[in-house]
Amino acid sequence: MVCVTTTDRRGALRAGAGLVTGGVLAAGCGSATGFGRPAPTRPTAPAKATPRAAPAPRAFPRQPAQITHGPRDHPRIALTFHGQGAPALARALLTEAERRGARVTVLAVGSWLDEHPQLARRILDGGHDLGNHTQRHISINTLSEAEARAEITGCADRLKRLTGSIGSWFRPSRAVTASPLVERLARAAGYPHVLSYDIDSLDHTRPGAAAVTRTVLTEVTAGSVVSLHFGYPDTVAALPDVLQELDRRGLHAVTTTELLS
């Protein structure tokens, strides 16, 4: 017979209590539910990448204040588009250009960007140039100084808000070249050059895809800056043939920035 003393009984009770307490604590630390399973963790959402700011306007010291074409001794040309019209047509043109390795320049109208702000980033993400084609696309050379300034800065402000830059280029609306006043106002707004062109595709007259193709290919040469438009089905239909023939001639369609660099 084993004799248990009062002291032994108290020690045994304390030891048992410690084991029970330790077991409960162990279960509690091992699981939020207390049943020995690891506590569930919430997946961490990936950080969103901040879009790169669009390129700012550049000065090209060897170029005039109003640029109509690039160097004639390099096999490159620039297809420039007035940015306005149905978004679906704009996306179709950009996609076709990218599919064939071409890059273009888009001169966006501010009111168009107000309606379709996502297209500013779409243009830049495709590797294209993006510029300013005034806020309302009205005849800027006929406006007063205050009105013309508002047309230029209004579109510049929208580009800045959407992309971080006022855009690479400025092109006057409803005019091939800018008046001296508009040229001065554009420079004051941050554009060292006015972008004109030496070939007008006349696609805005809706002559048919074959006529657009013929006009461009008859006149194009190294260094050409071609005026085209978003918003016209004829232009979308003409682009594959234009790009195919340019490739055959060894002329590469690049952004205006690349053309002049």
Side-chain angles (χ1 to χ4, degrees):
M1 179 177 180
V2 179
C3 180
V4 179
T5 65
T6 303
T7 303
D8 294 333
R9 187 179 294 111
R10 288 173 181 167
L13 290 171
R14 281 196 295 269
L19 289 171
V20 173
T21 304
V24 172
L25 287 175
C29 291
S31 169
T33 61
F35 293 101
R37 294 190 300 273
T41 57
R42 293 182 179 180
T44 303
K48 291 184 178 179
T50 302
R52 249 183 347 179
R58 283 177 53 186
F60 293 89
R62 296 183 180 181
Q63 294 295 330
Q66 300 205 45
I67 295 171
T68 58
H69 63 82
R72 298 298 192 186
D73 56 349
H74 295 292
R76 297 180 293 191
I77 62 98
L79 301 177
T80 67
F81 290 84
H82 301 239
Q84 200 174 22
L89 293 177
R91 291 190 183 95
L93 280 163
L94 294 170
T95 299
E96 179 63 22
E98 292 156 12
R99 188 175 73 84
R100 294 175 177 269
R103 295 296 178 265
V104 304
T105 300
V106 180
L107 293 312
V109 176
S111 58
W112 184 68
L113 292 175
D114 289 338
E115 295 176 6
H116 312 290
Q118 71 281 1
L119 285 175
R121 184 52 56 182
R122 167 65 183 87
I123 292 163
L124 293 171
D125 287 347
H128 311 287
D129 272 1
L130 178 62
N132 178 335
H133 196 35
T134 74
Q135 177 57 24
R136 295 177 293 165
H137 199 255
I138 57 180
S139 184
I140 192 168
N141 285 345
T142 66
L143 300 180
S144 69
E145 181 170 348
E147 291 170 328
R149 181 185 293 107
E151 284 295 309
I152 298 169
T153 59
C155 186
D157 290 345
R158 281 152 179 79
L159 287 166
K160 179 81 171 179
R161 185 178 68 248
L162 292 171
T163 71
S165 164
I166 63 172
S168 299
W169 300 98
F170 168 75
R171 172 172 285 172
S173 49
R174 300 190 182 275
V176 177
T177 58
S179 67
L181 171 63
V182 171
E183 180 186 321
R184 175 171 61 81
L185 293 173
R187 190 180 306 110
Y191 301 98
H193 303 279
V194 171
L195 180 59
S196 183
Y197 47 88
D198 61 337
I199 296 177
D200 188 349
S201 70
L202 299 174
D203 59 346
H204 61 283
T205 65
R206 304 175 187 266
V212 173
T213 302
R214 185 168 55 253
T215 299
V216 173
L217 295 177
T218 298
E219 300 182 30
V220 73
T221 186
S224 288
V225 176
V226 184
S227 171
L228 296 147
H229 292 75
F230 282 172
Y232 295 94
D234 290 349
T235 312
V236 179
L239 189 60
D241 288 341
V242 169
L243 291 175
Q244 182 176 342
E245 179 60 18
L246 289 174
D247 284 344
R248 192 189 70 78
R249 298 182 190 181
L251 293 172
H252 307 293
V254 298
T255 65
T256 306
T257 300
E258 292 173 303
L259 179 70
L260 300 173
S261 297

